[in-house]
Amino acid sequence: MSFHAAPSAADAVLPAQAHADLNAEVRRLGLLAPHTAPDEHATPTQAPKPARARSGLVAWRLKRVLSFMEEHYWEALTLAEMARVAGLSRMHFAAQFRISTGAKPHEYLLRLRVERAQKLMMESDEPLAQVAFSVGFQTQAHFTTVFRRFAATTPHRWRSEQMARTPHGVAAPARALGSAHQA
């Protein structure tokens, strides 16, 4: 009987160049993510599963939620309330809403409030604090911060610029923001 000696540790270790070539080939085949640090002792066992298709909310759920948000934008809406309207759990709703609209539910609501504020600022001469409260912001400071994020200017400056563009104070349609509910 002949017994074969077990391979030594030196035989099992690949030379550095062979190891680098193997890693490059594994990455090329998509068996190892490019950001994964190479592990000299790891061997790829299977290809990663393909990502699930992302479809977003079905049309009737999205329409129901968007209508609800437009009817109640000035209220302190919670994610739980919006999810309830859609008939989904909070986390599932939030993920599906973002896929459908490209925005988180809260961001969408803030954009909707800023658009309504722009309309109010064009149609009336109410003080900015009153405009902020009427569209659902708790403070004028928060309103100004959010407005600046979406319109790239302060509410006061935006209103002044819009009034300067309209002849004799006639309100023109506000178009500073892309509509939050356009496809």
Side-chain angles (χ1 to χ4, degrees):
M1 263 196 228
S2 136
F3 291 95
H4 296 286
S8 69
D11 294 334
V13 175
L14 292 172
Q17 184 58 43
H19 182 52
D21 291 343
L22 180 60
N23 273 339
E25 183 66 12
V26 168
R27 281 194 180 89
R28 186 184 70 73
L29 295 173
L31 299 174
L32 184 64
H35 64 278
T36 305
D39 181 5
E40 61 188 44
H41 302 294
T43 58
T45 55
Q46 346 175 277
K49 294 180 182 177
R52 287 182 42 196
R54 297 177 158 227
S55 59
L57 292 172
V58 293
W60 67 268
R61 288 183 199 259
L62 181 61
K63 184 176 179 179
R64 180 188 286 179
V65 170
L66 295 180
S67 294
F68 177 76
M69 291 171 85
E70 289 190 25
E71 293 169 7
H72 301 278
Y73 68 89
W74 63 89
E75 298 175 17
L77 297 180
T78 65
L79 183 61
E81 290 172 312
M82 291 182 264
R84 181 187 48 76
V85 169
L88 299 170
S89 70
R90 288 179 323 128
M91 303 294 32
H92 185 65
F93 165 72
Q96 296 299 301
F97 185 90
R98 188 170 187 178
I99 292 168
S100 296
T101 64
K104 297 175 185 176
H106 185 68
E107 289 294 312
Y108 186 94
L109 180 62
L110 291 176
R111 182 176 294 276
L112 186 60
R113 287 176 177 173
V114 168
E115 288 177 355
R116 295 300 190 262
Q118 287 177 322
K119 185 176 180 186
L120 278 174
M121 288 189 293
M122 290 298 295
E123 295 174 351
S124 72
D125 58 351
E126 286 186 25
L128 292 175
Q130 183 58 39
V131 170
F133 297 138
S134 66
V135 297
F137 290 98
Q138 298 299 310
T139 66
Q140 184 177 350
H142 185 226
F143 170 60
T144 299
T145 300
V146 172
F147 192 97
R148 182 178 291 156
R149 185 169 70 208
F150 290 119
T153 188
T154 64
H156 177 73
R157 185 171 291 147
W158 185 89
R159 180 186 249 176
S160 298
E161 290 171 357
Q162 295 302 311
M163 290 303 173
R165 290 181 187 164
T166 59
H168 307 293
V170 177
R175 296 300 300 162
L177 291 179
S179 177
H181 43 278
Q182 287 180 349

